[in-house]
Every structure is written in C-alpha cells, then in structure tokens.
Amino acid sequence: MMTRRDFLSQAAVTAAGLVSIPSPAQSAESVKHLAPPQKPVIVTRETGDNTIDEAYKMLLDGADTLDVCNHICMGREDDPNDRSVGYGGLPNEDGIVELDACCMHGPTRTAGSVGAIQNIRHASLVARLIMERSGHVMLTGLGAEHFAVMYGFKREDLLTDDARKMWLLWKESRSSQNFWGPPMSAPGGKDANPAPSLNHSAIPLHPGPKWAELIRARSQQLTAMAADLGIPEHKRATAVNQILWPTTGTIHVSVVNTKGEMSGATSTSGQAFKIAGRLGDSPIIGAGCYTDQDIGSAGATGSGEENMKVSGAHTIVELMRQGMSPKDAGLEALRRIARNYNGDMTKLRYLDMIYYIVRKDGAYADCSLWSTTASGTPKVFVVHNGAKRIENCAFLLTGTTTN
Ligand code: GLY
C-alpha cells in the first residue's frame, strides 16, 4: 500500500506548485493515447433545423466545442413545436413548464447544471452560466431562476397555447378523479361518459389483443375530448399521443474537434406532466451528460428515471476508458437498464432510452434500447463529421416501446 511519504516522494512538485498526478490507472492501453480525429464530429438527434450544419461550420471556424453544443440546444429551446425542450415544452402536472439542463466542458474539466427552472427558455445556457459564474455545479428552482435573471436572462412564460391545450386534455382526461372537465350536468359530462383514467397504470401491463383494443378506444375518447377543447383537427393526433405516452424527448449534443477537445450538453422540459420539482436525468452530471477530456463524451434522451439508476453517460465513458468501443459501451449501459427489470419485456416496453456517444478519436455510436419507433421505422440519430447524415442506432431489443 502506498504511504503518504511514498506518494509525496513520487509526485513531482513543479515550480508552480502543481503535483504531477499519474493518469488513471485503469485506462486501457487502447485509449491511453487516442489521436484526435481529422475532422470534427457531432452526434445528436434530428433537429429539423439548420443548427447542426451551422454548428459544424462553427467548429471548422475554431469555435469552442461547448459553444457548438449550446448552439444546437438553443435551436430546440427556441422551437415552440418541440414538446420536450425549452419554450413550448410540455408542462408539469400543475401546468408549469420546468426545464432541466447540464453541460460539461472537456478542456477545462468543468460542469454546470440547472434543474426545475421556470420562466427562462435557454436552460442549457443557464447550466453553462452556473458553471462559469458560480462556485457551484448545480442550482435548481427559484434560486436558479434568480441567478439567471441577475445575469441578464429574461423571464417569459414558456407555456405555448398548444402545450396549454395538451395539458388541459391531460387534466380533463382524468376527470373521473378530479373536478376538471365538464360537470355531470353537461352533455358528455362525467356521469354520462365516465372516462376511465388514461394513465399508464390503468393500461394493463400485458400487451395483447385486448390491450390494442383498449388503446384504440381511449384514443377515440381522447380525440373527441380534444375536439371539445378546441384543439384543431390536424393537431389532435399529436395531442392524444402525448396524453397516452407523455414525452420524454430531450436534446443531447456531444462534440469533438480536431484538437481532440470535447464537450457535451443536454436540455429538456423533462417528463411531460411530471410532479412539480421532479428532476430527470438531464441535469444529472454522469446520467444525462458526461464528458471526460481523456476519453470521450456521452449523453442521453429517454426515460430519465431509468438512466439515473445506471448513471448512463458516466458508465459509458468509463467503459470506453476500459477499452470498450462506443457501441459496446452504450449497449452495456442499456443492458444494465434491462437488468433492473430482470429483462421483463412487459415492463421494458414502457421505457425508451437512446445514448449518444463520441470518443476522443472521433469514433462514435448511438445506442437505443429499442430498434424501432412505434410506426416501425428504425430508431435513428444524426452524425456530422464532414457531411450530416442520419444513421440507424445500434439497439439492444428488437421491437418498439408502447409508444
Ligand atoms: N430524459 C429526460 C427526462 O427524463 O427528463
């Protein structure tokens, strides 16, 4: 065992007073001297805007890797039609939008995080502000909002009209259990049409022919309620889906440049209709995002509660440190999620998880718990390493979540 005296005699103390610390002992030979990629690499999800191309140009022009992550996150935070991030994100069960975000900056080995912040749309920038302008790593709620406002962030109502109506639909769909929605004296009121609870627990866990029938019946019921609430016809299917399968969307971006510098950032409005104050994985350093300047960067979108239990992003980076490829590391983290349910497919069907991974040398992977979306198309991600491409995710389980 190394004594303190041994340690001090081994450590080279420089004139600046720095102690030379050996590299982490566990790093596999294969990752000890990873050469930077010849071209920068961005991994993220499809954004439907130009920010990924713009971000790549920023990298080519020498921008900091975290600026690049923030640029893509801000595009999602600004989009009123993205139901899972920033302005327009679906609110908590009280109808209030609460955002989570975190970031890690590889070169400076620093991190910032914000949880359950209200009224400030660019949560990813607030996480960075906390990293750069406070002695803390994480702020939440009112304290985080005050901190952001004192640095010039503007307060605004983040609940769009569309999101408000979806929330109303969700609230009224539980009208057999509360006082929201038409009274029994109204046509189609509670007694005339006692809508059963539409939450997950009311849907049998065992998918089967009856299950599909039940979902169809509830979709029809919700569609009628959506019409009654004034949700336009072309928006009803989306609204109904959000009630049946509340979103866990999120944006994560991991980046490496040609110097091998890396950063990661994650931003979300979290699980739709969550209990006020709930934090998912997105603000948790090591779950929603983790960057180690020696190894790589990883982040997650999907079921936050599950990802937190396996510290997904940190697990992946540590497995890469031990020599696993990005793909193998991502699949192993997913295996741990499946293990937490003893592989019970009737429960795993309710979970969704995608990991976005880039190694210091530019090797990358995206790993999804499930192979396909509800409509049967492969789960995909976006990579930009000179040209922007949509690629299929590697996956652990064949099939889809219930949504
Ligand atoms: N992954 C986003 C959340 O669960 O909040």
Side-chain angles (χ1 to χ4, degrees), residues 133-150:
R133 308 300 302 183
S134 84
H136 303 303
V137 167
M138 185 180 210
L139 294 178
T140 62
L142 280 177
E145 182 179 333
H146 178 69
F147 185 78
V149 167
M150 295 313 284

Side-chain angles (χ1 to χ4, degrees), residues 55-348:
Y56 202 80
K57 182 161 183 325
M58 287 168 68
L59 278 172
L60 295 178
D61 291 345
D64 185 272
T65 48
L66 189 52
D67 287 339
V68 167
C69 296
N70 284 141
H71 184 73
I72 296 171
C73 287
M74 283 169 66
R76 297 299 78 224
E77 290 165 343
D78 284 335
D79 183 350
N81 295 317
D82 192 320
R83 302 271 163 248
S84 66
V85 188
Y87 177 69
L90 286 172
N92 66 20
E93 69 174 356
D94 299 331
I96 296 166
V97 180
E98 283 186 339
L99 306 179
D100 302 331
C102 75
C103 63
M104 284 192 88
H105 186 239
T108 52
R109 296 178 191 270
T110 49
S113 159
V114 64
I117 190 171
Q118 300 176 6
N119 303 316
I120 310 282
R121 77 165 64 184
H122 293 131
S124 63
L125 291 187
V126 178
R128 181 168 181 172
L129 177 76
I130 291 164
M131 179 182 92
E132 291 179 341
R133 308 300 302 183
S134 84
H136 303 303
V137 167
M138 185 180 210
L139 294 178
T140 62
L142 280 177
E145 182 179 333
H146 178 69
F147 185 78
V149 167
M150 295 313 284
Y151 276 94
F153 282 73
K154 296 278 170 283
R155 283 193 177 96
E156 62 182 315
D157 186 358
L158 302 178
L159 187 68
T160 59
D161 215 41
D162 279 353
R164 180 181 61 78
K165 284 187 175 154
M166 284 183 196
W167 178 84
L168 270 178
L169 180 59
W170 176 78
K171 195 75 177 170
E172 288 201 3
S173 73
R174 284 153 169 72
S175 68
S176 61
Q177 297 159 8
N178 62 37
F179 290 98
W180 291 71
M184 66 180 177
S185 55
K190 290 174 200 277
D191 268 7
N193 181 14
S197 166
L198 296 168
N199 62 19
H200 284 185
S201 58
I203 297 169
L205 270 178
H206 236 301
K210 284 239 164 73
W211 185 85
E213 221 173 85
L214 187 58
I215 298 295
R216 218 176 1 260
R218 287 186 174 162
S219 293
Q220 280 169 5
Q221 206 173 39
L222 281 166
T223 304
M225 291 172 78
D228 196 37
L229 279 169
I231 296 177
E233 197 171 350
H234 66 283
K235 293 183 177 173
R236 278 178 213 155
T238 307
V240 166
N241 267 332
Q242 288 291 359
I243 308 314
L244 283 171
W245 320 113
T247 192
T248 57
T250 308
I251 177 89
H252 170 79
V253 188
S254 272
V255 170
V256 59
N257 67 15
T258 52
K259 290 187 233 164
E261 294 167 341
M262 289 171 286
S263 289
T266 304
S267 182
T268 191
S269 50
Q271 175 76 61
F273 319 128
K274 61 195 173 185
I275 296 174
R278 174 265 190 188
L279 298 178
D281 58 332
S282 302
I284 307 299
I285 307 288
C289 175
Y290 193 75
T291 305
D292 183 318
Q293 185 49 48
D294 295 332
I295 305 295
S297 182
T301 62
S303 310
E305 277 71 10
E306 306 314 319
N307 189 32
M308 279 192 275
K309 290 188 285 184
V310 300
S311 301
H314 181 263
T315 293
I316 288 167
V317 172
E318 285 308 303
L319 290 172
M320 290 197 292
R321 188 195 306 282
Q322 291 165 27
M324 272 194 191
S325 68
K327 178 178 160 189
D328 288 347
L331 290 175
E332 170 58 20
L334 292 169
R335 248 175 239 119
R336 294 180 190 195
I337 289 177
R339 173 70 185 87
N340 282 343
Y341 287 88
N342 294 318
D344 182 341
M345 299 292 266
T346 61
K347 293 181 179 171
L348 290 171

Side-chain angles (χ1 to χ4, degrees), residues 21-69:
I21 307 277
S23 295
Q26 310 89 325
S27 290
E29 279 308 314
S30 57
V31 292
K32 266 187 188 151
H33 308 289
L34 288 171
Q38 292 188 338
K39 290 180 180 171
V41 181
I42 300 174
V43 286
T44 186
R45 72 158 160 92
E46 179 57 302
T47 55
D49 58 20
N50 296 327
T51 55
I52 299 173
D53 281 315
E54 290 162 2
Y56 202 80
K57 182 161 183 325
M58 287 168 68
L59 278 172
L60 295 178
D61 291 345
D64 185 272
T65 48
L66 189 52
D67 287 339
V68 167
C69 296

